[in-house]
């Protein structure tokens, strides 16, 4: 009980501290983003997806020209030199880069405008919810400043009840995706900087006092004791809260505290555990006298024991693949359930039971698909390579992203690993920064494994690899990115390589691979060909078989993806070509090498072929 209350108090304090810190930085908005509403897909909503008018603002003049007032150039004394209503449109959700050729390489500010009709309901509050806006967003509603948010891959919501009108409303959002050294990610990520309102936008309606956040899971080490907490918005009078799982004949009632907290523990006899083979989801309901929300939720345990990763108490090997959030078969950011099904379907065809979502939280609809499909997930915040580790504000931003990621997804049992960074160079500042993030993640969610992907590997002698990055001491599982055969040496060097670590912990090889242009063929020694990539995979797989503490792998990566770093003509043409599948969906030879290995592992694990 107390631990749940402490956990919740910490979550609250952390969310409010971060919001206040960021607010003081910009002081132009009456309020910052509100505490995150979980499970908006279980709520009554008004979708604002569709066509939005837009104005490109390369010199950031929109604010001084007061675009947020949605002025009209005609029939007024005022001087107005813009008109959203006659401006072109962009589709939301979606990046602006691949909707308009002139915006393909644009980085800067774009103003979005959407008119919509709304009718308020009695005793109802309304929040404007954004699934993601890359990178900085400022929101006005009916000409009034509403809220702002920083971070391109996590959701935010803003209370709009007092500004919404019955009838016509206009929301205006300025989105800026300029990169800065103290941002997360910083200046040079190896992926395309897609700008815009890249995920769903909606009005979420909730009662005056509503169920804001909750965490429901099996208690650590137990396969039938379910515990958790529920937090109600606004600490009004204590409420009776009921948690029901009809299929398990569970109905637990209790009174919330004055602070609107309700925590519980219930025994669940005959609970069927969630696993990749059997992704069992239960219908769960939480209700109070004024609110009710339901969720499809699975129950599983995840822990480590020495170098083992245990899912539901059984040792598991993670057969994985990395992927970026890029749409299959078309250019642009992926979003929505269809894209998720296609991408996870490809991973399933590969024989995966695990995906590493690089290097930022992906759309919640993909996580929901992973819950349904039984695909284990590594979710990560974009603390990527060169981050300003000395900067306190950068640490606050990282904590905010971590808090938003965990808050949004903590009830999705597909997620087993929270990653706090990727390939960050060792230094005292970096170690302290990452240590802080690990502490935050454990405070927010003591039930999942904490990890990070490191490439800080020592080579005391040729072909000798020692995984001794000091950050590993803080982690449950460590991820190693190694590119032997591509950035380092040739594939045959893997046959000579030895691997060791001073840590008694499970390791995942979180990246390996090499570029190949699909359809380019030649000898195994010819880089950029399918044969060279295939050879890398053959040597990697036989080398990794020799690592006694290896408990998973996620090669880099499922599909070729856009990156401004990759400009080799006729080969890369703006794409990182390390995918096993080309951007148009064609599979490369290495795909089948990995598929065959994963089928062998699945067979050894006694899994029936899918
Ligand atoms: C790194 C990095 C990836 C990058 C990859 C590559 O390891 O984590 O983001 O794309 O290497 O160089 O292809």
């Amino acid at each position: 009980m107390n631990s749940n209350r402490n956990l919740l108090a910490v979550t609250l304090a952390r969310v409010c501290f971060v919001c206040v810190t960021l607010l003081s930085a910009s002081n132009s908005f009456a309020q910052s983003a509100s505490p995150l509403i979980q499970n908006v897909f279980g709520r009554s909503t008004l979708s604002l997806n569709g066509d939005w008018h837009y104005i490109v603002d390369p010199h950031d003049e929109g604010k001084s020209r007061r675009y947020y007032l949605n002025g009209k150039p005609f029939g007024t004394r005022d001087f107005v030199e813009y008109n959203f209503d006659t401006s072109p449109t962009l589709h939301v959700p979606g990046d602006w880069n691949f909707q308009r050729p002139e915006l393909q390489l644009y980085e800067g500010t774009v103003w979005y405008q959407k008119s919509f009709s709304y009718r308020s309901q009695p005793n109802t509050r309304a929040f404007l919810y954004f699934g993601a806006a890359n990178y900085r967003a400022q929101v006005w509603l009916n000409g009034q400043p509403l809220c702002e948010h920083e971070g391109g891959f996590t959701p935010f919501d803003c209370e709009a009840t007092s500004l919404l009108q019955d009838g016509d409303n206009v929301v205006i959002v300025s989105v800026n995706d300029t990169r800065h050294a103290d941002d997360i990610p910083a200046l040079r990520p190896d992926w395309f900087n897609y700008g815009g309102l890249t995920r769903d936008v909606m009005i979420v309606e909730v009662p005056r006092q509503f169920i804001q956040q909750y965490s429901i899971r099996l208690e650590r080490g137990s396969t039938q004791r379910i515990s958790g907490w529920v937090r109600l918005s606004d600490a009004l009078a204590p409420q009776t809260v009921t948690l029901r799982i009809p299929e398990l004949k569970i109905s637990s009632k209790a009174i919330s505290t004055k602070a609107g907290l309700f925590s519980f523990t219930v025994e669940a006899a005959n609970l069927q555990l969630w696993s990749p083979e059997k992704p069992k989801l239960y219908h769960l309901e939480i209700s109070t006298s004024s609110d009710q929300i339901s969720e499809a939720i699975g129950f599983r345990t995840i822990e480590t024991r020495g170098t083992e990763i245990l899912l539901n108490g059984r040792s598991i090997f993670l057969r994985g693949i990395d992927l970026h959030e890029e749409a299959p078969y078309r250019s642009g950011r992926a979003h929505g359930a269809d894209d998720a099904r296609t991408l996870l379907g490809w991973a399933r065809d590969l024989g995966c039971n695990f995906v590493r979502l690089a290097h930022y939280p992906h759309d919640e609809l993909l996580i929901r698909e992973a819950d349904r499909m039984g695909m284990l997930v590594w979710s990560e915040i974009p603390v990527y390579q060169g981050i300003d580790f000395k900067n306190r504000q950068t640490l606050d931003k990282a904590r905010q992203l971590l808090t938003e990621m965990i808050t949004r997804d903590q009830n999705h049992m597909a997620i087993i690993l929270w990653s706090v960074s990727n390939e960050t160079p060792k230094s005292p500042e970096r170690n302290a920064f990452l240590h802080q993030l690990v502490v935050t993640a454990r405070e927010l969610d003591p039930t999942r494994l904490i990890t990070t992907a490191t490439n800080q590997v020592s080579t005391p002698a040729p072909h000798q690899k020692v995984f001794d990055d000091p950050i590993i001491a803080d982690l449950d599982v460590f991820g190693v990115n190694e590119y032997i055969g591509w950035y380092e040496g040739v594939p045959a060097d893997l046959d000579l390589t030895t691997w060791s670590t001073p840590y008694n912990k499970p390791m995942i090889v979180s990246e390996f691979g090499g570029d190949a242009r699909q359809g380019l063929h030649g000898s195994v020694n010819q880089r950029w060909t399918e044969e060279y990539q295939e050879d890398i995979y053959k040597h990697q797989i036989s080398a990794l078989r020799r690592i006694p503490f290896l408990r998973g792998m996620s090669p880099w990566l499922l599909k070729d993806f856009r990156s401004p770093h990759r400009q080799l003509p006729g080969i890369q043409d703006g794409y990182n070509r390390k995918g096993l599948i080309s951007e148009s969906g064609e599979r490369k030879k290495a795909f089948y090498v990995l598929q065959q290995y994963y089928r062998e592992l699945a067979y050894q694990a006694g899994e029936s072929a899918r």
Side-chain angles (χ1 to χ4, degrees), residues 55-68 81-82 106 109 111:
I55 300 175
V56 183
D57 184 14
H59 294 181
D60 276 314
E61 293 187 307
K63 239 184 183 171
S64 59
R65 291 166 176 262
R66 301 188 298 166
Y67 284 179
Y68 50 81
E81 195 177 27
Y82 67 92
Y106 177 68
T109 299
W111 290 77

Side-chain angles (χ1 to χ4, degrees), residues 190-191 324 356 358-359 384-385 422-423 455 481 483 487 511 515 556 561 566 576 578:
D190 184 25
W191 66 81
H324 263 295
R356 173 178 174 226
H359 294 288
Y384 179 91
Q385 300 183 349
N422 177 73
E423 291 194 353
N455 58 352
N481 296 357
Y483 281 90
Y487 293 128
E511 290 184 33
D515 287 58
W556 189 260
F561 65 98
R566 313 294 171 169
N576 182 313
K578 295 188 181 68

Side-chain angles (χ1 to χ4, degrees), residues 163-187:
L163 293 181
L164 276 169
Q165 301 157 179
D166 282 344
D168 297 337
N169 292 268
V170 176
V171 57
I172 291 179
V173 187
S174 81
V175 182
N176 176 287
D177 72 342
T178 308
R179 290 165 288 113
H180 300 87
D182 61 349
D183 287 351
I184 308 253
L187 286 169

Side-chain angles (χ1 to χ4, degrees), residues 62-293:
K63 239 184 183 171
S64 59
R65 291 166 176 262
R66 301 188 298 166
Y67 284 179
Y68 50 81
L69 292 181
N70 195 35
K72 305 295 170 217
F74 308 109
T76 162
R77 287 173 48 79
D78 300 341
F79 172 70
V80 174
E81 195 177 27
Y82 67 92
N83 185 353
F84 277 109
D85 297 340
T86 56
S87 296
T89 61
L90 286 169
H91 190 79
V92 171
D95 54 277
W96 60 60
N97 311 79
F98 289 90
Q99 294 191 53
R100 298 267 162 185
E102 68 277 15
L103 295 178
Q104 183 167 332
L105 295 178
Y106 177 68
E107 290 185 309
T109 299
V110 169
W111 290 77
Y112 286 79
Q113 178 249 33
K114 180 84 173 172
S115 305
F116 62 97
S117 171
Y118 184 73
R119 180 107 3 240
S120 59
Q121 306 300 317
N123 301 319
T124 299
R125 298 164 68 177
F127 288 75
L128 202 46
Y129 177 94
F130 296 84
N134 191 45
Y135 176 78
R136 262 182 202 79
Q138 297 186 321
V139 184
W140 288 263
L141 184 56
N142 298 328
Q144 297 299 317
L146 181 65
C147 63
E148 59 184 345
H149 182 264
E150 181 170 340
F153 302 101
T154 46
F156 62 101
D157 52 55
C158 319
E159 170 118 39
T161 315
S162 61
L163 293 181
L164 276 169
Q165 301 157 179
D166 282 344
D168 297 337
N169 292 268
V170 176
V171 57
I172 291 179
V173 187
S174 81
V175 182
N176 176 287
D177 72 342
T178 308
R179 290 165 288 113
H180 300 87
D182 61 349
D183 287 351
I184 308 253
L187 286 169
R188 292 184 193 78
D190 184 25
W191 66 81
F192 195 95
N193 186 21
Y194 295 100
L197 300 175
T198 53
R199 294 183 192 149
D200 295 326
V201 181
M202 59 185 98
I203 301 268
V204 180
E205 294 178 321
V206 288
R208 293 230 156 279
Q209 186 185 38
F210 62 96
I211 298 159
Q212 181 124 41
Q213 293 170 5
Y214 50 92
S215 170
I216 319 271
R217 68 265 189 249
L218 277 174
E219 253 179 27
R220 222 169 188 169
S222 164
T223 55
Q224 62 176 54
R225 187 168 313 118
I226 298 174
S227 76
W229 49 264
V230 175
R231 191 176 75 77
L232 306 179
S233 64
D234 314 288
L236 300 176
Q239 290 264 338
T240 303
V241 183
T242 307
L243 177 111
R244 292 181 64 242
I245 310 177
E247 196 180 338
L248 294 169
K249 302 191 177 28
I250 286 177
S251 178
S252 166
K253 245 188 221 315
I255 307 291
S256 67
T257 65
K258 284 203 186 66
L261 300 180
F262 160 68
S263 20
F264 66 91
T265 300
V266 286
E267 293 297 325
N270 314 321
L271 180 68
Q272 191 187 327
L273 297 175
W274 181 98
S275 69
E277 295 83 68
K278 295 199 180 77
K280 170 68 182 172
L281 298 176
Y282 286 92
H283 176 74
L284 171 140
E285 286 164 12
I286 305 170
S287 56
T288 65
S289 58
S290 61
D291 193 18
Q292 197 232 324
I293 187 128

